[in-house]
């Protein structure tokens, strides 16, 4: 059997299936609505929340280290509060009492790991010294039972704090005007909303004249995002109202308004119900993406209703017009929907569970549009009463588009000019693409406005202290007790010194300093003894003395593991910019390679803390980015090539997508938008939009070519008809996201909406100009040689066939 014969049998089979659908529209509609009820019943189980672990590439070596040490040494879910005095220093009774209240309030927050609390007034912040009897003892710097202190007592506390490297600079600012309180949260079962609400109550209770309260940390950021959920819901409601208004203005007919909105409702129920049924949570930051998918569902409905009214004006029969609309748009519409769905499903190739969940859920949601819109709309139109008014009311728009295309892409010279200008634009965009950075391009969080309290607090804390962003590096030995080896401690110090050559590093903390300080104290505080002993046994004795001096169990937990096999090395930075992370990782890897060669049995591993976690996410993101976007392009090319049995068709579909993608990255470079875990899904979804427009245009050009046998007339007619619908669908898609630009206080959602709007406009322009111009300039065979078969299905002529004359099929010419 030849390829042409097989293709004909497939298209004939699809035609028979269409006939069955239109013979049994009520049965099919009943099945669609029955499935909808099933998904609707699952909606109460839908959860809207953020899961921090979902954002992390769990197979990355950094994250595996992070997961291993986070409960012992601290994770990335850390809240940092700073109490700053406006006048004087913190060493006065009222300031110390306020710091203590803040510490108790932070320690009482829901989800806090009480073993990982750090503050000047906490019981774990202790002065260690040698008593007059020669005993090694410790006492807390702050005694809450002592309400008033003399000037001498306060001065002594200040001197003691300044001489303690574990406190000065890390928990008390170098200028002595601020104190830091840090708490770690348990990630399992963490309720960000509850914790943030309690934190805000604590912060409000601390505010008083003469003090500034600053709060930062990943849980704080997530909590702030949650406060905007009601605003997000309001934006969604206003967006639906705007979409309905656009439908009213465009169609001014009941079916043109009601059926696309019904398509949105059905597809949304299917999508959200599917997520609830399989236990996928709805991430607040990703809300614009599912809403864009819903808007795209409406755009397919608009295409069908628009074609229905066009056919109704010709056939004067509602049932026949509905059948002709599905006949004309079934192949391009199904292809566009399938490519959309697969393009979104590709997100599941990402390394972070967030991308995997989003890809599966949104991919199903996109594929469901075939049933909730592509079948539902024409079948509903076939059973609904026929409209009385059957005239096409958009002929003025058609005439304007026809004149515009006749003067530009509809001519040989105009087509070549469009293609040359597109090439120049793509080449020019290359300069801006070079400015795009992987990760964040500025300090603070891009999720919130630059002047938001969170970003101002982050800036203030980083100005007062060495840095609030921590990198945890683990020194691991092959045998238990290996950390006590003097050569291991010396290697840790050499690694610290190597990292300190970075001028942006604010400070560091590790076990060797504890050993040195204790050794000095045990020798009458003689600074000459502030050194690491030459024997592991002596190191063990010093560590035991330190632990024995503290009545608090686990005095060394923040430094070493109980089996003394692992040590935690902490580095403090002021931001999470891409440049900072790249520099830190490069320096760390250089130091690790050198030191591991020098000390057998010692392994230094990155990387816990928010710095290590973010660096891992950026590295995984680079891998995801170079896989996901090209895969979307390749799959689109292959699907279109197979669908039309033409490599040229696949290329013609990918061409406007390539142009729009280049322009998108150029815009990101110009606007300073980095590639991160939030923007990659936006780009992937936006790239798929271009295939919708291009497929509809290409198929309409082929259809017109089969009728008029003139490529110039074919592209002019295609733009005049399909161009009108595409222009409106582009407007509806932009309306689906544009309100986020003006109404959202979340900067990321606003920036993402601008990015999506830009992509939608560029995709529409590229499809409307590049596809017709390419057809005029290069005259591909699959476009030039087409005909309608006996079922009215558009087919490509075979090389040995003679193009048949246009025929009348099912009321269409």
């Amino acid at each position: 059997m030849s390829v042409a014969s097989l293709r004909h049998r497939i298209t004939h089979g699809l035609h028979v299936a269409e006939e069955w659908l239109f013979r049994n529209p009520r049965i099919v509609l009943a099945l669609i609505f029955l499935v909808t009820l099933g998904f609707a019943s699952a909606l109460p189980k839908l959860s809207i929340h953020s899961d921090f672990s979902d954002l992390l590439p769990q197979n990355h070596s950094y994250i595996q280290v992070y997961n291993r040490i986070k409960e012992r040494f601290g994770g990335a879910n850390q809240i940092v509060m700073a109490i700053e005095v406006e006048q004087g220093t913190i060493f006065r009774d009222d300031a110390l009492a306020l710091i203590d209240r803040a510490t108790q309030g932070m320690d009482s927050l829901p989800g806090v790991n009480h073993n990982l609390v750090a503050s000047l007034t906490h019981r774990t912040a202790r002065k260690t010294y040698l008593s007059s009897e020669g005993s090694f003892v410790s006492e807390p710097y702050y005694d809450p039972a002592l309400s008033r202190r003399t000037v001498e007592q306060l001065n002594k506390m200040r001197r003691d704090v300044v001489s303690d490297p574990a406190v000065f600079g890390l928990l008390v600012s170098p200028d002595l005007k601020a104190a830091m309180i840090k708490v770690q949260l348990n990630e399992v079962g963490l309720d960000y909303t509850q914790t943030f609400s309690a934190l805000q109550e604590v912060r409000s209770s601390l505010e008083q004249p003469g003090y500034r309260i600053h709060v930062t940390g990943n849980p704080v950021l997530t909590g702030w995002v949650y406060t905007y959920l009601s605003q997000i819901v309001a934006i969604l409601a206003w967006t639906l109202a705007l979409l309905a208004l656009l439908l009213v203005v465009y169609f001014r007919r009941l079916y043109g308004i009601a059926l696309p909105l019904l398509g949105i409702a059905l597809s949304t129920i299917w999508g959200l119900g599917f997520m609830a049924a399989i236990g996928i949570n709805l991430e607040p930051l990703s809300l614009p993406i599912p809403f864009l998918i819903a808007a795209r569902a409406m755009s397919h409905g608009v295409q069908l209703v628009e074609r229905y009214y066009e056919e109704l004006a010709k056939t004067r029969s509602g049932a026949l017009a509905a059948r002709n609309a599905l006949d004309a748009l079934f192949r391009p519409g199904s292809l566009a929907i399938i490519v959309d769905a697969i393009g979104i499903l590709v997100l599941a190739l990402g390394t972070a569970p967030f991308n995997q969940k989003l890809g599966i859920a949104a991919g199903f949601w996109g594929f469901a549009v075939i049933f909730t819109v592509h079948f539902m709309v024409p079948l509903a139109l076939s059973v609904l009463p026929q409209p009385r008014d059957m005239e096409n009311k958009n002929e003025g728009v058609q005439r304007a588009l026809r004149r515009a295309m006749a003067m530009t892409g509809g001519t040989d010279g105009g087509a070549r000019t469009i293609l040359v200008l597109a090439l120049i634009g793509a080449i020019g965009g290359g300069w801006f693409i070079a400015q795009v950075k992987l990760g964040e391009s500025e300090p603070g969080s891009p999720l919130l406005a630059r002047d938001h309290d969170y970003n101002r607090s982050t800036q203030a804390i980083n100005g007062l202290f060495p840095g609030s962003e921590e990198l945890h590096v683990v020194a691991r030995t092959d045998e238990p007790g290996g950390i006590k080896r003097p050569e291991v401690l010396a290697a840790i110090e050499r690694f610290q010194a190597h990292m300190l050559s970075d001028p942006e590093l604010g400070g560091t903390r590790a076990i060797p300093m504890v050993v040195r300080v204790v050794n000095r104290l045990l020798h009458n505080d003689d600074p000459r003894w502030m050194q690491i002993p030459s024997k592991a046994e002596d190191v063990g004795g010093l560590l035991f003395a330190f632990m024995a001096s503290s009545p608090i169990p686990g005095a060394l937990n923040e430094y070493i593991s109980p089996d003394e096999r692992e040590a935690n090395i902490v580095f403090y930075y002021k931001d999470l910019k891409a440049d900072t992370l790249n520099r830190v990782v490069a320096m760390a890897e250089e130091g690790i390679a050198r030191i591991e060669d020098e000390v057998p049995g010692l392994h230094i591993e990155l990387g816990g803390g928010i710095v290590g976690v973010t660096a891992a996410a950026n590295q995984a993101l680079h891998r995801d980015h170079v896989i996901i976007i090209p895969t979307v392009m390749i799959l689109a090319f292959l699907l279109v090539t197979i669908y039309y049995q033409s490599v040229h068709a696949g290329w013609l579909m990918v061409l406007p997508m390539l142009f729009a993608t280049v322009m998108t990255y150029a815009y990101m470079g110009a606007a300073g938008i980095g590639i991160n875990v939030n923007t990659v899904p936006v780009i992937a979804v936006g790239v798929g939009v271009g295939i919708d427009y291009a497929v509809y245009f290409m198929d309409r050009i082929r259809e017109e070519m089969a009728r008029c046998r003139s490529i110039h007339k074919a592209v002019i007619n295609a733009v005049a008809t399909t161009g009108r619908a595409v222009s409106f669908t582009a407007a509806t898609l932009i309306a689906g996201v544009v309100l986020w630009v003006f109404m959202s206080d979340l900067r990321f959602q606003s920036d993402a909406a601008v990015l999506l709007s830009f992509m939608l406009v560029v995709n529409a322009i590229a499809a409307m100009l590049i596809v017709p111009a390419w057809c005029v300039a290069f005259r591909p065979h699959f476009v030039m040689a087409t005909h309608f078969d006996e079922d009215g299905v558009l087919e490509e002529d075979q090389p040995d066939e003679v193009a048949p004359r246009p025929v009348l099929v099912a009321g269409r010419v």
Side-chain angles (χ1 to χ4, degrees):
M1 181 186 296
S2 66
V3 174
S5 176
L6 177 61
R7 183 170 56 188
H8 181 75
R9 290 185 63 178
I10 293 173
T11 56
H12 180 71
L14 292 173
H15 181 75
V16 171
E18 286 181 37
E19 289 184 334
W20 184 88
L21 288 174
F22 277 95
R23 283 198 305 270
N24 304 278
R26 288 178 173 81
I27 294 176
V28 178
L29 289 172
L31 289 173
I32 291 173
F33 284 103
L34 187 63
V35 174
T36 303
L37 289 176
F39 281 122
S41 66
L43 287 177
K45 296 186 294 184
L46 181 66
S47 174
I48 304 177
H49 71 273
S50 293
D51 188 336
F52 182 70
S53 63
D54 279 353
L55 302 176
L56 309 181
Q58 294 297 326
N59 293 326
H60 195 286
S61 61
Y62 296 1
I63 303 304
Q64 292 174 347
V65 171
Y66 167 78
N67 289 334
R68 191 177 80 238
I69 69 171
K70 63 184 179 182
E71 297 299 328
R72 182 186 307 133
F73 297 140
N77 263 326
Q78 178 177 255
I79 298 177
V80 178
M81 176 182 286
I83 309 292
E84 180 187 7
V85 297
E86 294 180 357
Q87 301 292 332
T89 72
I90 62 169
F91 292 99
R92 59 180 198 246
D93 287 326
D94 59 333
L96 292 170
L98 186 66
I99 295 167
D100 185 53
R101 281 175 50 203
T103 302
Q104 300 306 316
M106 292 274 279
D107 198 6
S108 65
L109 294 177
V112 166
N113 184 337
H114 302 290
N115 294 322
L116 295 174
V117 177
S119 168
L120 171 65
T121 62
H122 193 258
R123 62 184 181 276
T124 56
R126 309 180 70 84
K127 175 191 175 183
T128 304
Y129 61 96
L130 204 64
S131 69
S132 57
E133 294 82 13
S135 302
F136 198 63
V137 296
S138 69
E139 62 183 26
Y141 283 109
Y142 179 79
D143 182 1
L146 189 62
S147 59
R148 296 190 63 82
R149 295 165 184 78
T150 65
V151 174
E152 179 54 34
Q153 288 175 319
L154 291 172
N155 289 336
K156 184 177 183 301
M157 180 191 294
R158 179 170 60 182
R159 290 193 300 269
D160 291 340
V161 165
V162 170
S163 64
D164 188 346
V167 177
F168 181 64
L170 300 182
L171 297 179
V172 175
S173 63
D175 62 2
L176 306 180
K177 295 181 69 67
M180 179 186 290
I181 304 104
K182 297 190 291 186
V183 297
Q184 292 281 345
L185 301 185
N186 298 307
E187 292 182 11
V188 178
L190 178 60
D191 187 332
Y192 286 101
T193 303
Q194 182 184 16
T195 300
F196 182 74
S197 177
L199 174 64
Q200 289 296 81
E201 290 181 8
V202 170
R203 183 178 183 179
S204 177
S205 69
L206 297 173
E207 291 179 346
Q208 55 185 275
Y211 295 90
R212 300 189 186 97
I213 314 295
H214 313 290
V215 185
T216 187
N218 184 70
V220 182
L221 175 62
T222 305
W224 276 117
V225 171
Y226 272 51
T227 63
Y228 295 105
L229 281 179
S230 58
Q231 183 188 71
I232 291 172
V233 172
I235 294 173
L236 294 178
W238 280 106
T239 299
L240 283 174
L242 177 59
L243 292 175
L245 177 62
L246 287 174
L247 290 171
V248 170
V249 172
Y250 183 74
F251 282 111
R252 302 186 297 280
R253 299 181 179 185
L254 178 61
Y255 297 164
I257 300 166
L259 289 179
L261 290 177
L262 179 60
I264 282 186
L266 294 181
S267 65
T268 300
I269 291 172
W270 281 43
L272 295 180
F274 175 78
M275 294 177 68
I278 65 174
I280 293 179
N281 61 292
L282 186 60
E283 166 64 51
L285 289 177
S286 68
L287 279 177
I289 293 175
F291 202 79
L292 179 64
I293 296 172
R296 286 165 74 169
M298 192 187 85
S299 74
H300 289 289
V302 167
Q303 290 279 357
L304 287 162
V305 176
E306 174 69 21
R307 188 58 181 259
Y308 167 78
Y309 283 126
E310 183 182 329
E311 295 292 336
L312 183 64
K314 297 176 183 176
T315 63
R316 321 299 287 186
S317 167
L320 186 56
R323 173 64 185 276
N324 287 353
L326 184 60
D327 275 345
L329 299 181
F330 177 77
R331 287 179 60 172
S334 299
L335 176 62
I337 292 169
I338 291 171
V339 173
D340 282 351
I342 292 179
I344 298 171
L345 185 62
V346 167
L347 288 172
L349 297 176
T351 51
F354 166 76
N355 280 339
Q356 295 160 7
K357 291 180 179 181
L358 181 62
I360 293 170
F364 173 84
W365 193 334
F367 182 75
V369 172
I370 288 182
F371 304 98
T372 58
V373 175
H374 212 53
F375 287 163
M376 184 276 293
V377 170
L379 292 177
L381 287 169
S382 70
V383 299
L384 289 171
Q386 179 174 307
R388 295 179 181 177
D389 185 1
M390 291 179 280
E391 298 300 322
N392 190 341
K393 297 183 177 181
N394 289 311
E395 291 183 354
V397 178
Q398 286 188 357
R399 287 193 296 268
L401 289 172
R402 182 174 282 108
R403 283 196 301 268
M405 182 52 60
M407 293 185 293
T408 55
T411 64
D412 291 332
R416 288 192 292 270
T417 301
I418 289 173
L419 295 177
V420 169
L421 289 175
L423 179 61
I424 293 173
I427 294 173
W431 187 86
F432 291 100
I433 292 176
Q435 314 303 314
V436 179
K437 294 184 178 180
L438 192 68
E440 308 304 344
S441 57
E442 58 185 50
S445 172
L447 300 180
L448 302 170
R450 292 178 178 86
D451 61 348
H452 190 277
D453 175 81
Y454 175 85
N455 283 331
R456 285 189 283 106
S457 288
T458 302
Q459 182 180 9
I461 290 174
N462 286 326
L464 291 166
F465 294 88
S468 62
E469 317 295 357
E470 295 183 2
L471 169 66
H472 291 210
V473 179
V474 176
R476 178 175 57 85
T477 58
D478 291 336
E479 74 286 351
I483 290 299
K484 294 183 295 185
R485 290 160 48 194
E487 65 270 24
V488 170
L489 295 175
I492 292 174
E493 288 194 319
R494 289 200 302 276
F495 181 73
Q496 289 179 283
H498 170 76
M499 297 295 288
L500 282 166
S501 63
D502 179 3
E504 298 298 320
L505 175 59
T508 180
R509 173 172 57 85
I511 189 65
M513 180 54 67
V514 176
V515 173
R516 287 178 177 273
V517 170
V518 174
N519 197 16
R520 185 196 70 191
L521 291 173
L522 282 176
H523 291 83
N524 296 313
D525 209 15
D526 187 341
R528 291 175 297 178
W529 284 93
M530 194 169 178
Q531 56 184 276
I532 295 174
S534 59
K535 296 181 181 179
E537 294 81 2
D538 293 340
V539 173
L542 294 175
L543 294 179
F544 177 79
F546 181 82
M547 288 187 290
S549 72
S550 173
I552 309 298
L556 288 174
N557 282 355
E558 62 181 314
Y559 294 101
I560 58 176
S561 61
D563 62 0
E564 299 173 336
R565 188 174 183 173
E566 291 183 327
N568 184 33
I569 313 169
V570 185
F571 300 94
Y572 300 93
Y573 295 91
K574 295 182 180 294
D575 62 69
L576 298 173
K577 293 190 298 184
D579 291 342
T580 300
L581 298 180
N582 292 339
R583 185 182 66 253
V584 168
V585 169
M587 290 189 66
E589 289 179 345
E590 178 188 350
I592 289 171
R594 184 170 68 246
I595 290 171
E596 285 185 344
D597 288 341
E598 296 172 355
V599 184
L602 174 63
H603 311 279
I604 300 180
E605 302 169 332
L606 295 169
I610 192 65
V611 173
V613 163
T614 307
N618 283 359
Q619 291 180 12
L621 189 64
H622 175 70
R623 175 260 182 199
D624 292 349
H625 186 248
V626 299
I627 289 177
I628 289 175
I629 304 303
T631 301
V632 172
M633 298 282 188
I634 292 170
L635 287 177
F637 172 79
L638 292 175
L639 286 170
V640 175
T641 297
I642 294 170
Y643 205 84
Y644 287 104
Q645 293 292 301
S646 170
V647 173
H648 204 152
W651 163 248
L652 186 53
M653 290 302 93
V654 171
L655 181 62
M657 293 173 65
L658 281 171
F659 175 78
T661 303
V662 169
M663 291 296 99
T664 298
Y665 283 114
Y667 171 78
M668 292 175 65
I673 300 175
I675 298 173
N676 55 48
V677 71
N678 296 308
T679 56
V680 167
V682 170
I683 298 169
V685 172
V687 166
V689 173
I691 200 73
D692 291 3
Y693 303 144
V695 166
Y696 280 120
F697 267 114
M698 184 178 73
D699 218 69
R700 189 57 185 261
I701 293 171
R702 296 177 75 236
E703 184 181 329
E704 294 294 337
M705 189 66 196
R707 293 196 182 99
C708 66
R709 296 295 168 187
S710 167
I711 189 60
H712 300 94
K713 291 181 180 179
V715 299
I716 291 171
N717 291 340
V719 171
T721 52
T722 301
R724 182 182 70 248
V726 164
S727 300
F728 178 71
T729 54
T732 59
L733 288 173
I734 293 171
V737 296
V738 71
L739 290 184
W740 299 90
V741 178
F742 306 106
M743 298 180 64
S744 178
D745 290 327
L746 288 172
R747 181 156 64 105
F748 161 72
Q749 288 186 336
S750 178
D751 290 345
V754 173
L755 180 62
L756 275 171
S757 299
F758 178 84
M759 294 183 73
L760 294 169
V761 171
V762 173
N763 271 308
I765 293 174
M768 191 178 294
L769 296 179
I770 293 177
V771 172
W774 188 276
C775 290
V776 171
F778 294 98
R779 290 170 167 75
H781 182 271
F782 81 100
V783 172
M784 301 297 295
T786 56
H787 66 274
F788 292 103
D789 67 8
E790 68 277 7
D791 296 322
V793 177
L794 194 63
E795 287 194 343
E796 182 179 355
D797 301 341
Q798 296 307 302
D800 56 348
E801 289 180 347
V802 178
R805 295 174 61 82
V807 295
L808 180 67
V809 180
R812 292 185 293 142
V813 176

